[in-house]
Amino acid sequence: MYSFTEENYLKAIYKLQERNEDAVNTNSIAASLETKAASVTDMIKKLSAKDLLVYEKYKGVQLTALGKRIAIDTVRKHRLWETFLVEKLKFSWDEVHELAEELEHIQSEKLIEKLDEFLGFPAHDPHGDPIPQRDGVIKQRSLFLLSELVDGQKGIVSGVVDHSSVFLQYLEKMNLVLGKQIFVTEQNQFDKSYQILLNETENLHISVEVAKNVLVRLI
């Protein structure tokens, strides 16, 4: 049994390691969790004592096999609860993150397996992120940032990088949501913004910042 705080730290370190396989430094963890570096240092000592991570001075931390498994289990629960909240309770995709942050710490393995079955064993959450399987395996897809596409390429919106409510609300307003087909008609050379055709009918102009935060599957 691990505390909410310990699970949150392990999850944060896991996500940082996903982006960079090198050891994660204290400042990165502090920024991710919006806390002080001194608090991170104290928690690192506690997690190290429980064999959940390995710390090397001046290099940073890496999760042990046990620490990684706990982090992945927490991510699994978070994404299953987000899926439940959106699909069954009809929350919007910008409302569910904080609720799932609380629900992800429920320890009943039987409940989570029943939840997974009830949802039909979903592969992805409402934001397009892969849901880890019971054995910890994560099936990754080949996705590209919209900003990586060039004129004439087509894709299906399949995920987001920025999970903030304000960004998700913006995408909802623009109708640039999961499952929509896009066709890049032009990238403006001046500001690198994009002209795209949405579902073959709607012309949209989006900034390069938005394009850097939308993931697509090429078709």
Side-chain angles (χ1 to χ4, degrees), residues 8-164:
N8 284 337
Y9 266 82
L10 293 172
K11 184 177 69 169
I13 294 168
Y14 169 74
K15 288 186 174 181
L16 288 168
Q17 279 191 272
E18 270 191 314
R19 302 174 205 162
N20 184 354
E21 293 184 0
D22 294 333
V24 177
N25 64 50
T26 302
N27 289 335
S28 296
I29 299 170
S32 175
L33 292 169
E34 298 181 349
T35 190
K36 297 178 180 178
S39 298
V40 174
T41 300
D42 290 341
M43 181 56 70
I44 285 173
K45 292 176 181 177
K46 292 178 182 178
L47 296 175
S48 295
K50 294 183 178 183
D51 295 322
L52 298 173
L53 55 79
V54 177
Y55 171 71
E56 288 188 60
K57 196 172 183 179
Y58 305 120
K59 289 187 177 181
V61 301
Q62 288 186 315
L63 296 177
T64 62
L66 176 59
K68 184 176 180 181
R69 182 55 197 264
I70 294 167
I72 290 174
D73 282 346
T74 306
V75 169
R76 168 175 162 78
K77 290 185 284 185
H78 183 101
R79 293 176 180 173
L80 282 171
W81 282 119
E82 284 193 332
T83 303
F84 173 76
L85 290 167
V86 170
E87 291 189 2
K88 304 303 180 181
L89 299 189
K90 305 307 178 184
F91 281 82
S92 62
W93 69 337
D94 61 284
E95 295 178 307
V96 296
H97 178 72
E98 290 186 1
L99 288 169
E101 285 282 294
E102 298 179 32
L103 292 166
E104 71 186 24
H105 300 293
I106 293 174
Q107 296 299 322
S108 172
E109 184 176 332
K110 183 176 181 179
L111 172 62
I112 298 305
E113 298 316 315
K114 288 288 187 182
L115 177 64
D116 192 17
E117 181 181 4
F118 176 67
L119 293 170
F121 306 103
H124 305 94
D125 72 9
H127 308 111
D129 294 319
I131 298 175
Q133 298 176 348
R134 184 178 183 179
D135 58 5
V137 172
I138 301 176
K139 293 184 177 181
Q140 299 289 355
R141 296 176 293 172
S142 182
L143 301 181
F144 297 86
L145 293 173
L146 199 160
S147 59
E148 295 177 308
L149 273 59
V150 298
D151 295 1
Q153 284 192 299
K154 284 185 179 181
I156 301 291
V157 178
S158 301
V160 293
V161 177
D162 184 346
H163 288 68
S164 67

